Amino acid sequence: MKKKERANIIIEILSEIYPKISVPLYHKNNFELLVAVLLSAQCTDTRVNQVTPSLFKIANSPFKMQKIPQKKIYEIIKPCGLGPQKSKS
């Protein structure tokens, strides 16, 4: 059996066991989900969901985010922990 066949079987089995999995992180688009996932490292989803509305209010796209000073991002995401590194990312 080839890797692709095995992968398809595994996907089929997992789809039966977990038919619909909701994402606990609040987001409106793929960029917001990506940022929320990055912030969730060493942090609870609840805390991320408390922090991200403020961040996404000022920047909900990569184009807007790159214009925000790192220091301002750090101030917003600091409660998530590992703020200096996450704000750089």
Side-chain angles (χ1 to χ4, degrees):
M1 183 179 297
K2 294 181 180 180
K3 283 185 181 182
K4 189 170 186 171
E5 292 170 335
R6 279 187 288 180
N8 287 333
I9 291 170
I10 292 169
I11 289 170
E12 217 174 280
I13 292 169
L14 289 174
S15 294
E16 288 176 21
I17 296 172
Y18 306 103
K20 185 177 179 189
I21 299 174
S22 62
V23 177
L25 299 168
Y26 302 149
H27 64 285
K28 294 178 185 167
N29 57 47
N30 289 338
F31 175 74
E32 288 184 2
L33 178 59
L34 174 65
V35 171
V37 168
L38 291 173
L39 291 176
S40 70
Q42 301 294 315
C43 185
T44 64
D45 293 341
T46 303
R47 176 70 60 172
V48 172
N49 287 335
Q50 291 170 351
V51 169
T52 52
S54 301
L55 181 62
F56 297 149
K57 187 175 182 179
I58 60 171
N60 65 346
S61 73
F63 305 107
K64 292 177 184 177
M65 189 70 72
Q66 72 181 5
K67 294 178 182 177
I68 307 299
Q70 182 182 339
K71 186 175 181 178
K72 177 134 178 114
I73 294 171
Y74 173 73
E75 290 170 6
I76 295 170
I77 67 169
K78 187 177 179 179
C80 288
L82 305 174
Q85 187 59 39
K86 288 179 182 179
S87 63
K88 288 178 188 176
S89 299

